[in-house]
Every structure is written in structure tokens, then in C-alpha cells.
């Protein structure tokens, strides 16, 4: 199993550009989520999905779109990048949404918006 | 509004000694707490968790203590090893709110 994979590992964008951060998992997990990590802030939940076709907003959803057409993939879209979106982005998955369900994180995508 | 706080950005301990990492929370609705460990250039990995119905959970060298009245939890690592050097995040459910993290350095 590859676990949770994220591409790209690093990306530089100009303000206003769009891009999609890819996330895939091969563990047949129902629950997937996106976080951003900023200095002094910990990880903050952007969007999450409890299954294919179902998504919902987290703590900081503005400026980001998601979709979940398959169980395996959960892409995060930035439609018009802003410098405030410079961050490290982590995707995570877990078998379900119960408290005891361990989340597995991908290695992260480091995004710089100029 | 940080509902989960880790007030110590860093902690340095000697190998073999105890490491104590602290976490405070403000939302009384939180009922499940987790600790994650993160190495550079990797994603966080789950370490240990505790439900609000317990006050202690132990797993090998790692023990988490929960004081609900004080809204405080702590992670104890005994004995500390150099491989434990990482950033440790506490997190609280149901909202999955994370603290800012504490960088632990264990010196040989």
C-alpha cells in the first residue's frame, strides 16, 4: 500500500493563478480531509469528505474548492491563488469518522504564492 | 480563536529523562483528544489518544493524562530517546482542532 499520496511536493504560483493539489489513498478509506499548516497555527481543517459525492466545509474553507468523485481521490482546487494561501497542505484519510479512527496523513504539498 | 493551545513552542530534554508536553483547551464540548508526531518533510502520524471518560491512557513509553476540570492534557514520554525528536501536536474532537505544536529535542 502506498497509503496517502500527494502531488506536487512543492509549487510556486503567481497571484491569481489556479491549480489543483492532488490527493489519493489506496486504503479504501471513506473519510478524507485537507488541512493547511501555518507557523504558530497548527493544522487547520479546510474541507472534508465522508464518502464519494459528499463534501463539507471545515474551519477555513474560503478560497478552496473540493470534489469527491471516487473513494480514492480528493483534489483541492485553488481557483485564484492569493499570497495568504502560502502554506503547507496536508491530505488525510481514515476508515470512518468515529473517534477511534486513526487519520493517515500524506507527506504534504508546500505552496508558495507570489 | 485558538481553542487548543500548546504554549511551549519547544522543549529540550536529555536522553533517558522524561519529556512532558502540555496542551490546554477552551471548548468544553471537546470529548476526544489525540497526539500526533511530525518529522520534517513528512505528514503527522498518530501517536496516542484519550477519551474524555478517562483520565489516563498508556501505550508503551507514551502516556497521556487528561484533567477535564482544568481543560488540560499532557503527554509523557519515558524514557525519552533521540528518535523522539519531532514536533508534537495535540488535537481535539469533534472539530479536529489542532494546537500549534511543540518541538521536542532529545539530546544524546
Amino acid at each position: 500500500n502506498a497509503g496517502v499520496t500527494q502531488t506536487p511536493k512543492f509549487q510556486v504560483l503567481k497571484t491569481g493563478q489556479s491549480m489543483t493539489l492532488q490527493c489519493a489513498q489506496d486504503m479504501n478509506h471513506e473519510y478524507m480531509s485537507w488541512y493547511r499548516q501555518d507557523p504558530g497555527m497548527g493544522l487547520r481543517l479546510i474541507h472534508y469528505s465522508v464518502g464519494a459525492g459528499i463534501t463539507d466545509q471545515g474551519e477555513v474553507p474560503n478560497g478552496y474548492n473540493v470534489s469527491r468523485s471516487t473513494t480514492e481521490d480528493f483534489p483541492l482546487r485553488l481557483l485564484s491563488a492569493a499570497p495568504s494561501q502560502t502554506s503547507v497542505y496536508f491530505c488525510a484519510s481514515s476508515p470512518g469518522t468515529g473517534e477511534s479512527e486513526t487519520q493517515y496523513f500524506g507527506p504534504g504539498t508546500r505552496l508558495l504564492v507570489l | 480563536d485558538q481553542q487548543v493551545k500548546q504554549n511551549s513552542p519547544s522543549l529540550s530534554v536529555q536522553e533517558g529523562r522524561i519529556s512532558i508536553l502540555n496542551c490546554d483547551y477552551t471548548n468544553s464540548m471537546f470529548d476526544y483528544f489525540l497526539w500526533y508526531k511530525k518529522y520534517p518533510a513528512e505528514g503527522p502520524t498518530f501517536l496516542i489518544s484519550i477519551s474524555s471518560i478517562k483520565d489516563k491512557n498508556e501505550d508503551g513509553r507514551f502516556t497521556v493524562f487528561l484533567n477535564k476540570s482544568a481543560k488540560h492534557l499532557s503527554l509523557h514520554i519515558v524514557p525519552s530517546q533521540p528518535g523522539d525528536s519531532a514536533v508534537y501536536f495535540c488535537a481535539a474532537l469533534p472539530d479536529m482542532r489542532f494546537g500549534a505544536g511543540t518541538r521536542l529535542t532529545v539530546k544524546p
Side-chain angles (χ1 to χ4, degrees), chain B residues 20-47:
Chain B
I20 300 176
L21 295 94
N22 294 304
C23 180
D24 297 291
Y25 62 97
T26 58
N27 190 338
S28 57
M29 298 301 290
F30 291 147
D31 57 8
Y32 199 82
F33 303 89
L34 309 96
W35 284 93
Y36 283 84
K37 177 179 179 179
K38 184 183 179 304
Y39 292 117
E42 295 183 9
T45 56
F46 171 76
L47 193 56

Side-chain angles (χ1 to χ4, degrees), chain A residues 6 8-11 21 33-46 60 64 76 78 82-92 105-113, chain B residues 38-44 89 103:
Chain A
Q6 291 184 237
K9 290 184 179 178
F10 180 71
Q11 182 73 47
L21 281 64
S33 54
W34 276 102
Y35 295 86
R36 59 178 290 173
Q37 183 193 5
D38 302 294
M41 298 289 290
L43 283 80
R44 291 182 292 169
L45 182 63
I46 304 171
V60 288
Y64 307 95
L76 178 72
L78 286 71
S84 61
Q85 294 178 304
T86 293
S87 188
V88 181
Y89 291 85
F90 291 100
C91 178
F105 283 83
T109 293
R110 186 175 296 273
L111 177 66
L112 174 62
V113 183
Chain B
K38 184 183 179 304
Y39 292 117
E42 295 183 9
F89 293 97
R103 181 178 301 278

